[in-house]
Amino acid sequence: MRLNSEDRAVLEHIARDGGQIVDRAVAWCATNSGSRHLAGLERQRQILLDAASRLPAAPIDVPLSPSREVAADGRETEFAHPPSLAVVVRPEAPVQVVLTGHYDTVYPETSPFQVVRTRPDGALHGPGIADMKGGISVMLAALEAFERSPDAANVGYRVLLSPDEEIGSIASGPVLADFARRGHVGLTYEPALADGALASARKGSGNFHIVIHGRAAHAGRDFAAGRNAVIGAARVAEKLHGLNGQRDGVTVNVSRIDGGAPLNMVPDVAVVRFNVRFPEAQAAAWFEAEVARIVGEIGDDLHAHLHGMITRGAKPFNAAQQRLFGAVKDVGALLGQDIAWKPSGGVCEGNNLFASGLPNVDTLGVRGGDIHSEAEHAFPESFVERAQLSALILMKLASGEIDARAIRSAMEAH
């Protein structure tokens, strides 16, 4: 693998546009697009429709079905989502690449964290600058530059930008699966680690809710007739927490209990909310069996109902992934970037793509850190670095120096 003059021309174009790649991400961060802020998500989607219009095919909306949620009173409700945004370019080309990202953030409409500022060390500090408005800007810059390559016709690609990654990709999951089945390799734009390292193996994840129904009663006149759902929830939470340490790599985080009543009333509803992380499918099956046991043993004339699911399967670092990561490392070396990788307990759309058979690298976004907190930041110099990395990956896929079909075949053989 080597750099030729055509490659260098594309890379130089990205370097010249570096300021604009940063500036538009900073501007996007001024639009709050928390996962549940529908008006903000719609504004962000419109902004991205305009930005993606520079690609060879017009962006289109992909409608998403509402997702089901459990309210604090235990009732199921529907939550609507704005569409995902898709761009499909050269679907007939011999090599097909799937590029994904999300335009939602973890910061609600009422968050005080709303704008990007520059820290004394030069890092950009703001909501979504790393996760992942910076990543989307990098993705689009790489694609725009790649279209200048004389071999671009050899690669077709599908871009998908979704509004619900930060809440589990429940609505966009089927679309991710469909796109994954149509590609040879996938590129996703979650932030890299601060040193530029990629996430290799990833755990799987699921979000669950156990609704506990008891019996309301007057706490003074008829206490014995009541069945306290909050006490039931506390017992369930303790048993769930007790699963930690029983199976290697499995962690259960009880994050919230909803419920309660006036002090003179025995509460009749409570909801226990928790997340699980697991390293492989057998561990997930063990966890599901344990949760079913806990629900079935509720007792005390209480009734428990399980809601939720495993939303992302584990993503092991198998032979296909190793081959793809090795190719990315070789591309990085051409740019003077030392690409390394390490396992992560986090999850993302890369898990979804892998579950549908698509080998992928899912941390091709900017270098930064402290995501999901008000210390979130990104390093401005990494925007050009990562855009050049992605553009060169695409060029080497187009030239055949990275054999996308062989990587996908290795996945299928596994």
Side-chain angles (χ1 to χ4, degrees):
M1 196 180 294
R2 63 183 182 85
L3 275 180
N4 58 43
S5 59
E6 292 86 0
D7 298 334
R8 293 182 189 279
V10 170
L11 298 173
E12 289 167 4
H13 174 78
I14 292 172
R16 287 193 299 270
D17 280 358
Q20 193 268 338
I21 300 169
V22 175
D23 290 346
R24 69 177 172 186
V26 170
W28 293 348
C29 292
T31 297
N32 180 284
S33 56
S35 303
R36 300 183 185 281
H37 180 24
L38 296 180
L41 286 166
E42 178 57 23
R43 287 193 290 271
Q44 184 66 66
R45 188 180 67 84
Q46 292 294 334
I47 291 168
L48 292 174
L49 277 170
D50 180 64
S53 66
R54 301 173 194 172
L55 298 178
I60 59 173
D61 287 340
V62 182
L64 303 180
S65 299
S67 57
R68 305 288 293 178
E69 298 191 338
V70 178
D73 62 4
R75 289 182 294 183
E76 278 197 283
T77 61
E78 281 195 344
F79 182 76
H81 303 272
S84 290
L85 184 156
V87 184
V88 180
V89 174
R90 295 186 292 272
E92 75 290 343
V95 175
Q96 292 294 312
V97 182
V98 177
L99 302 97
T100 75
H102 61 89
Y103 62 92
D104 63 326
T105 73
V106 299
Y107 307 104
E109 180 182 4
T110 56
S111 170
F113 192 42
Q114 298 285 357
V115 297
V116 177
R117 294 182 171 86
T118 301
R119 298 191 322 196
D121 65 354
L124 301 170
H125 168 224
I129 190 64
D131 187 18
M132 64 180 302
K133 294 179 182 182
I136 293 174
S137 188
V138 163
M139 175 207 291
L140 295 179
L143 290 171
E144 292 162 18
F146 170 65
E147 289 299 328
R148 295 170 169 266
S149 168
D151 294 329
N154 295 334
V155 168
Y157 51 88
R158 294 171 186 270
V159 175
L160 186 70
L161 303 177
S162 296
D164 64 335
E165 192 277 337
E166 297 292 10
I167 52 175
S169 301
I170 299 296
S172 60
V175 187
L176 287 163
D178 178 62
F179 274 42
R181 287 188 287 268
R182 300 170 187 267
H184 294 103
V185 296
L187 309 176
T188 294
Y189 288 82
E190 293 291 332
L193 302 180
D195 60 0
L198 309 174
S200 52
R202 285 188 181 271
K203 289 187 176 183
S205 175
N207 296 321
F208 294 85
H209 321 271
I210 296 176
V211 180
I212 298 159
H213 291 280
R215 185 185 307 143
H218 192 287
R221 291 186 176 188
D222 206 15
F223 177 77
R227 297 294 181 268
N228 193 313
V230 169
I231 295 300
R235 291 171 179 163
V236 164
E238 186 174 23
K239 290 180 180 180
L240 290 168
H241 182 69
L243 297 178
N244 290 301
Q246 293 192 29
R247 178 102 182 196
D248 188 40
V250 175
T251 56
V252 180
N253 180 50
V254 179
S255 62
R256 180 169 172 172
I257 298 177
D258 291 321
L263 296 183
N264 61 353
M265 176 182 174
V266 177
D268 62 343
V269 179
V271 184
V272 181
R273 306 183 189 274
F274 57 102
N275 171 268
V276 64
R277 303 291 167 117
F278 54 89
E280 31 79 18
Q282 292 82 359
W286 172 85
F287 161 79
E288 290 178 313
E290 289 298 304
V291 171
R293 175 185 61 79
I294 290 169
V295 169
E297 294 175 352
I298 187 67
D300 289 340
D301 291 332
L302 297 168
H303 303 278
H305 305 277
L306 180 66
H307 301 260
M309 67 184 75
I310 288 174
T311 53
R312 307 189 202 272
K315 184 186 175 187
F317 198 48
N318 65 8
Q321 290 291 106
Q322 292 171 33
R323 184 165 182 171
L324 177 57
F325 275 61
V328 171
K329 184 175 181 66
D330 290 344
V331 169
L334 294 176
L335 295 167
Q337 299 179 23
D338 184 13
I339 302 297
W341 49 80
K342 61 189 72 172
S344 171
V347 294
C348 71
E349 292 170 337
N351 292 71
N352 298 72
L353 300 178
F354 183 92
S356 294
L358 187 70
N360 66 88
V361 181
D362 60 30
T363 35
L364 286 169
V366 297
R367 290 188 291 109
D370 293 321
I371 62 173
H372 295 197
S373 81
E374 292 187 6
E376 179 177 352
H377 63 277
F379 299 103
E381 64 274 16
S382 70
F383 285 69
V384 166
E385 291 173 9
R386 305 301 278 195
Q388 289 180 329
L389 179 64
S390 281
L392 193 54
I393 290 168
L394 291 166
M395 288 189 284
K396 296 311 178 186
L397 286 165
S399 69
E401 291 169 87
I402 300 176
D403 190 339
R405 291 179 175 274
I407 292 170
R408 177 71 192 231
S409 294
M411 185 78 162
E412 292 168 353
H414 178 79

